[in-house]
Amino acid sequence: MKRILSFVMVCVSVLCLASCSWDVDEPELPVVTTPFASGEDFLDQLQNKEGTKYEPTSKSSMHSELAVGDGVFFFKYSKKNWPIIYNPATDQAHYMCFDPSCTHKYNRCLANMLIVTNYYCYDGDDLYCLYRHRYVGQDTQSGLARISRDGSELEMLHRMDTTGLTNMQAGGGYVFLTKHKEIYRYDIAKNEMKILSQDGLYINSYIATDKGLILHTNSDGVIYTDHDLKLIKKICKVGKILYSNEKLYHVIYTREDDGETIKTAQIWQYDMATDQDRMIAEVNSFSDVLCANDEYFYYSTSQTGSGYSYRGKGIGRINIATGEQSIFFEHKDLTPVQMYCVNGEYYGCMQATANYDCWLTPKLLNTEIFGKFTDADGNGQYEFKPFQWDISVFEN
């Protein structure tokens, strides 16, 4: 039984590993260096990349479902929990199993035999993931692991109980995880895990940057701290936050005379280098922050002028310099969940209804799907193009 579980554990690497010889009872899991199957065009494109670096222009305080690495993106198709990689250079996606003989059936496909949790992030070429054992929720086989960009190496970095851990981001040479009052910090260079805590500090979410951490807390609002959680600086009250290039964007609601009904949402920009805080715009329809770059701030609109508690059907954008507002995207069957600006291109995660017309079959819709925004007409109104991969083996 243990031999079966050890085989299953390696399979979560979402790779096509030809053989696995390590044992779960070993104190340290060795690096697995079995290469992918050869002859796959998509694999060859990844392995022969020209070195273009990909980096999102902003980070949110919630987990990003699309992990962006150097030359490859990682996401999961949530309907079936399929791990998918996307090559932005060729605009192609591929299921993360490259075995030509594999039928990708449940409990048969190597990439489908153990679940990678919803927490993962890239640091350079390497994908960092949390593994949660399929059969035992709290055991010594779960933990933090690293997968190389081309999938040729898998390494278990730190075994730990992953239950209750939330969010996962990289910054400043560390990988961070949160669990209520504690932050788990893995030092990549030293291969060392450390637990950081602060008395009375309950962390809802955070943003990891190269210089420090932006914490969304219950008691002190939004605060900024160093990577050791020692120097703490209060920034603003609790609100939706987004970080981009030394700027922190946060939302302040204005309310009607009753003090409860939300009237508008003010978008503020806090300059972390100068401590200057300014309002860039006030919008009548707002649901959530999405992304930002040097020119624009993007947000999801709400379905009604006063309903700010649920996602809307459109994406608005604000010119950061002038405050001018415009509509970036709208679609009756797509609800924006997350958005990313990477190397001048726009990508998104959308909640799709079963009526959405795309390459996915109707029974595979009514879920979150990933894709790219394109402006084919050049009129500033973008369309959403879902990533596409070979789905024929999954239709039964």
Side-chain angles (χ1 to χ4, degrees):
M1 183 62 181
K2 288 184 178 180
R3 179 65 60 179
I4 294 174
L5 290 178
S6 67
F7 177 77
V8 169
M9 189 62 175
V10 173
C11 299
V12 73
S13 66
V14 293
L15 313 174
C16 173
L17 301 182
S19 63
C20 312
S21 60
W22 56 273
D23 191 282
V24 294
D25 292 330
E26 294 179 10
E28 297 295 333
L29 175 64
V31 174
V32 179
T33 56
T34 306
F36 274 134
S38 60
E40 293 289 329
D41 290 340
F42 188 87
L43 175 63
D44 293 338
Q45 293 166 1
L46 290 182
Q47 292 178 334
N48 296 318
K49 68 159 188 167
E50 297 179 354
T52 302
K53 294 183 70 67
Y54 293 87
E55 186 175 356
T57 58
S58 60
K59 287 186 174 184
S60 73
S61 60
M62 303 303 293
H63 171 63
S64 294
E65 302 294 339
L66 183 71
V68 179
D70 287 349
V72 62
F73 298 177
F74 174 86
F75 65 97
K76 293 197 303 179
Y77 177 64
S78 58
K79 189 77 172 184
K80 296 290 186 179
N81 214 34
W82 297 329
I84 310 290
I85 52 176
Y86 167 77
N87 184 351
T90 60
D91 194 25
Q92 294 182 22
H94 197 291
Y95 183 68
M96 290 189 73
C97 174
F98 292 89
D99 182 357
S101 65
C102 185
T103 59
H104 310 300
K105 297 300 182 182
Y106 184 77
N107 275 348
R108 293 183 183 178
C109 173
L110 296 183
N112 199 19
M113 292 177 69
L114 191 130
I115 297 173
V116 178
T117 73
N118 284 331
Y119 303 112
Y120 41 81
C121 64
Y122 273 102
D123 184 81
D125 279 350
D126 295 320
L127 176 68
Y128 293 84
C129 301
L130 278 184
Y131 291 165
R132 183 171 298 159
H133 200 282
R134 182 185 293 274
Y135 302 109
V136 184
Q138 300 183 30
D139 74 335
T140 58
Q141 307 313 314
S142 299
L144 175 67
R146 174 170 56 201
I147 302 171
S148 61
R149 184 193 62 83
D150 64 359
S152 62
E153 294 184 354
L154 162 69
E155 183 180 11
M156 179 64 76
L157 301 173
H158 183 77
R159 297 182 189 270
M160 61 190 300
D161 175 16
T162 60
T163 306
L165 291 172
T166 59
N167 210 333
M168 186 176 186
Q169 293 191 20
Y174 302 103
V175 175
F176 295 94
L177 299 156
T178 50
K179 188 174 184 178
H180 306 314
K181 296 181 180 181
E182 298 174 333
I183 292 182
Y184 288 75
R185 188 189 70 184
Y186 176 77
D187 189 316
I188 296 174
K190 295 181 179 179
N191 191 27
E192 179 182 86
M193 181 71 79
K194 186 176 181 180
I195 299 178
L196 308 176
S197 63
Q198 184 73 238
D199 291 341
L201 193 65
Y202 189 97
I203 302 167
N204 296 316
S205 58
Y206 68 96
I207 298 173
T209 76
D210 287 338
K211 294 183 178 181
L213 297 175
I214 303 169
L215 305 180
H216 187 296
T217 72
N218 274 358
S219 56
D220 297 318
V222 179
I223 63 176
Y224 181 64
T225 180
D226 61 308
H227 290 140
D228 292 315
L229 213 65
K230 292 181 178 179
L231 303 175
I232 291 181
K233 177 181 180 180
K234 294 184 179 180
I235 296 180
C236 60
K237 295 181 179 179
V238 172
K240 298 177 184 295
I241 57 175
L242 184 73
Y243 173 82
S244 177
N245 192 23
E246 293 292 310
K247 306 294 193 300
L248 182 70
Y249 297 89
H250 60 104
V251 181
I252 298 176
Y253 294 112
T254 65
R255 302 180 184 273
E256 301 288 359
D257 293 338
D258 60 12
E260 298 294 332
T261 305
I262 294 175
K263 183 168 57 174
T264 64
Q266 296 177 349
I267 314 301
W268 289 70
Q269 182 198 67
Y270 174 78
D271 190 321
M272 301 184 70
T274 64
D275 287 333
Q276 298 298 311
D277 201 16
R278 71 180 184 95
M279 187 178 74
I280 62 172
E282 187 171 30
V283 299
N284 295 319
S285 177
F286 177 88
S287 178
D288 205 352
V289 298
L290 290 177
C291 73
N293 54 29
D294 289 339
E295 187 175 6
Y296 290 105
F297 172 89
Y298 295 86
Y299 63 96
S300 58
T301 60
S302 58
Q303 295 177 359
T304 65
S306 61
Y308 298 95
S309 61
Y310 51 86
R311 296 167 178 164
K313 294 295 184 182
I315 296 176
R317 70 178 179 182
I318 301 169
N319 186 303
I320 296 172
T322 67
E324 181 182 359
Q325 302 174 35
S326 59
I327 295 298
F328 175 83
F329 171 86
E330 281 185 324
H331 196 288
K332 64 181 179 64
D333 293 318
L334 292 174
T335 300
V337 179
Q338 291 178 346
M339 181 178 172
Y340 315 82
C341 180
V342 184
N343 290 18
E345 302 287 348
Y346 295 97
Y347 305 90
C349 173
M350 295 286 189
Q351 178 71 43
T353 70
N355 296 323
Y356 179 55
D357 184 18
C358 72
W359 69 277
L360 288 164
T361 59
K363 67 179 181 180
L364 294 177
L365 286 171
N366 197 23
T367 187
E368 292 182 359
I369 59 177
F370 296 81
K372 183 178 181 179
F373 292 100
T374 60
D375 183 10
D377 300 330
N379 61 0
Q381 296 296 302
Y382 282 71
E383 296 79 39
F384 182 71
K385 177 186 175 183
F387 295 148
Q388 187 170 342
W389 64 93
D390 182 7
I391 205 170
S392 60
V393 292
F394 304 114
E395 290 183 338
N396 296 325

